[in-house]
Amino acid sequence: MLEKIRLLRERVEAKAASISTESELDTYRINFLVRKGLIACLFDELNAVPASEKPTVGKQLNELRQRAQSLFDEKAATLKSKPTVSPTLDPSLPGRR
């Protein structure tokens, strides 16, 4: 189970690093952070973990979820702060006929 968490953490980090648009950010959220996402599926598998390992595995899962959420928040803030390029009107140009 710890190996699955490690692999998913690497996948979350790599996916977050490649986000450059709002649609990619939304795809990231859907894949990892929603109720039926990959991280939530690992929480469902927590029932199968032996009782002696549950505290360790649970802690790792919580850290993974928090890390994924913080990466999402950082990327959302970065994308909102990017200036959007909009066509500007140049009144000195001649009009179209």
Side-chain angles (χ1 to χ4, degrees):
M1 183 69 165
L2 292 175
E3 182 65 22
K4 284 183 181 180
I5 295 170
R6 186 186 64 76
L7 291 174
L8 188 57
R9 181 182 306 270
E10 291 173 1
R11 191 169 164 194
V12 163
E13 301 264 343
K15 190 72 170 172
S18 68
I19 293 174
S20 61
T21 63
E22 291 283 335
S23 63
E24 289 175 352
L25 184 67
D26 194 44
T27 302
Y28 174 87
R29 182 186 63 81
I30 291 170
N31 285 337
F32 299 113
L33 298 174
V34 297
R35 178 86 173 112
K36 302 252 179 183
L38 295 174
I39 295 174
C41 289
L42 286 180
F43 273 100
D44 292 340
E45 292 179 20
L46 188 60
N47 295 335
V49 174
S52 61
E53 295 178 15
K54 278 189 181 182
T56 306
V57 173
K59 183 179 178 184
Q60 292 289 322
L61 280 173
N62 284 329
E63 289 174 359
L64 173 61
R65 182 176 53 197
Q66 290 170 355
R67 179 67 178 150
Q69 184 65 47
S70 68
L71 288 171
F72 175 80
D73 294 340
E74 289 172 11
K75 285 295 183 174
T78 302
L79 289 175
K80 285 183 180 178
S81 68
K82 279 188 179 178
T84 57
V85 177
S86 61
T88 58
L89 178 63
D90 187 1
S92 65
L93 292 175
R96 294 184 183 168
R97 292 183 189 237

